[in-house]
Amino acid sequence: MTNEELWKAVLGEMELSLSRANFITWFKNTSILSKDKGAVVVSVPNGFIKEWLENKFNKRILLSIRNFVPEVREVRYLIGRPKIELVKHDFSSIILERGMEDRPNNDSDKDIDRTTNLNKRYNFESFIVGSNNELAHAACLAVTKNLGKLYNPLFIYGGVGLGKTHLLQAIGNRILNENNLKNILYISAEKFTSSITESIMNRTIEDLKARYSQLDLLMIDDIQFIAGKEKTQEIVFSTFNELYGKNKQIVLSSDRPPQAIPTLEERLRSRFEGGMIADIGVPDFETRLAILKQKSHEKVYDFSNETLVYIATHIQKNVRELEGALNRVGAFSQIYNRVPDIKEVKNILNTYLSSPYRKTSPQSILKSVAEFYNISSNDLVKRSRKKEVVRPRQVAMFLLREETKLSFPEIGQKLGGRDHSTVIHACEKIKSESSIDEPLKQELVLIKERVYNSFDK
Ligand code: ADP
Ligand code: MG
């Protein structure tokens, strides 16, 4: 294995466990300078990156290298231009492979249409229908056949990596190709918000509003991001009314139903609830296997059925992870130029499945709870008894108890020095309520997803 191949494999692994932005930040322009006597020297572009890799990623990098070269004992980082050619790890294609279209406007993404923000890859043909997404899929298809007339707005919600972006974009692509309508826009709520802020600064907000009001089809992804953002909500509201009044189609996605989005203006909530709401759940085994077969076909992988069954059995909650695991096996067969047998597959996925990256920290739980309820982490710790923070605080206590090894007194300590009996009470309360209160149960699932889907904490 050459240094270049080795680093490529390591990057492949890192990429699976990090958010896209993080991956690019920390690993762009890195390479292996040399490898001898148990030490690998990695070239990094600057001191900042060096420090981060040493402090935050060293263990993972070492583990990953040892997967391929077990005798390596140490990794060192060196600032400077690499003497050998840089590894040409294709960052843009990885992003597309993983389908992380969080920032569809990224200019380096060559497959993304500049005016609509659509990526052709997301279409109905490549979407596998199962009992978990049947309703959402049918609603999306129906919308393409009755644009603006049947379900308006269409509101799709579901957890991370379950196909919301895929479905939204599939609608856009279908309309673009078959109806010949040009005024189509797919946009993430984050991007939507930042263009509003920008145009307020540039005094072009009227132009922006005029542009949105011309649309035939507007898709806003991850609409929960507009929670607490008043100006954005105002523009969403006026755009909504304008388009709705002209029978123009609006499609929205979110990680939760409209009534569970905190600090969403009532008038917007009722608009969102005025059309059709469909949810996407976790795929069952058959659907997971079908998705793996579809993805293998797309990528011309030739893995045995046993391999696919193994992956489908062990990864259950997130289609993006399912793809990630498949790609990992794919990386192996590229490096070794052969299809791995089932024993090797188990080995390859072993570190991924039981990966230490899935462990969490109290900070990460507090951060995720705060983000979810749109309050600050500090509110959780403070002495306030306001209703908006009491419940999140109890949820935080419950999750700290469930997901970490902290004792009741330790949890009380973390949350502003509260008594352990308060913590016990909170844990019991959330536990018993979540067994009968479906929205609360769903909230807990979503927060946990957040905890385990962000790796930079
Ligand atoms: P979300 O927006 O809900 O977080 P995405 O739409 O980005 O999820 O889906 C994550 C990845 O999984 C994408 O690559 C997408 O193509 C794929 N995916 C999700 N659901 C399906 C499905 N039913 N069939 C095929 N691919 C799917
Ligand atoms: Mg998405």
Side-chain angles (χ1 to χ4, degrees), residues 218-351:
L218 171 62
M219 293 154 282
I220 310 183
D221 208 352
D222 292 315
I223 192 80
Q224 75 275 5
F225 275 116
I226 70 169
K229 304 197 173 91
E230 277 164 36
K231 188 69 193 167
T232 305
Q233 295 197 18
E234 187 188 315
I235 309 265
V236 170
F237 186 71
S238 66
T239 305
F240 188 104
N241 289 341
E242 182 104 16
L243 294 181
Y244 185 82
K246 293 191 285 188
N247 281 334
K248 303 299 187 187
Q249 181 72 48
I250 301 141
V251 186
L252 306 163
S253 89
S254 171
D255 64 352
R256 60 196 100 168
Q259 75 269 20
I261 304 178
T263 57
L264 183 66
E265 287 175 32
E266 198 41 50
R267 56 181 188 165
L268 262 184
R269 192 188 317 275
S270 70
R271 290 287 187 287
F272 291 173
E273 287 172 344
M276 164 82 169
I277 300 183
D279 73 327
I280 305 187
V282 172
D284 59 19
F285 174 76
E286 281 74 26
T287 310
R288 298 200 295 276
L289 191 60
I291 290 173
L292 285 172
K293 286 188 174 156
Q294 153 81 15
K295 304 281 172 196
S296 309
H297 181 76
E298 272 173 28
K299 295 186 176 141
V300 215
Y301 289 152
D302 192 20
F303 305 139
S304 68
N305 198 48
E306 199 182 1
T307 296
L308 301 185
V309 166
Y310 183 83
I311 300 175
T313 309
H314 286 85
I315 294 175
Q316 304 176 337
K317 298 247 162 77
N318 178 326
V319 178
R320 188 175 291 144
E321 277 185 13
L322 213 54
E323 269 188 277
L326 188 70
N327 288 344
R328 196 179 158 117
V329 181
F332 175 100
S333 51
Q334 250 168 24
I335 292 165
Y336 293 104
N337 214 359
R338 65 183 169 78
V339 173
D341 62 29
I342 187 70
K343 236 179 103 194
E344 286 168 322
V345 169
K346 285 179 184 170
N347 250 331
I348 296 164
L349 294 180
N350 199 18
T351 43

Side-chain angles (χ1 to χ4, degrees), residues 360-362 365 399-407 411 452:
T360 186
S361 65
I365 289 176
L399 289 174
L400 283 170
R401 182 65 189 174
E402 294 270 298
E403 307 293 318
T404 71
K405 292 200 178 79
L406 292 183
S407 66
I411 293 172
Y452 290 106

Side-chain angles (χ1 to χ4, degrees), residues 97-124:
E97 265 178 33
R98 296 197 63 202
M100 296 184 73
E101 290 315 316
D102 305 321
R103 285 172 213 193
N105 272 353
N106 193 321
D107 291 343
S108 66
D109 273 349
K110 54 190 184 303
D111 293 337
I112 288 165
D113 183 280
R114 292 282 195 113
T115 41
T116 62
N117 291 339
L118 290 170
N119 181 342
K120 286 196 191 61
R121 192 179 92 78
Y122 294 122
N123 49 55
F124 284 111

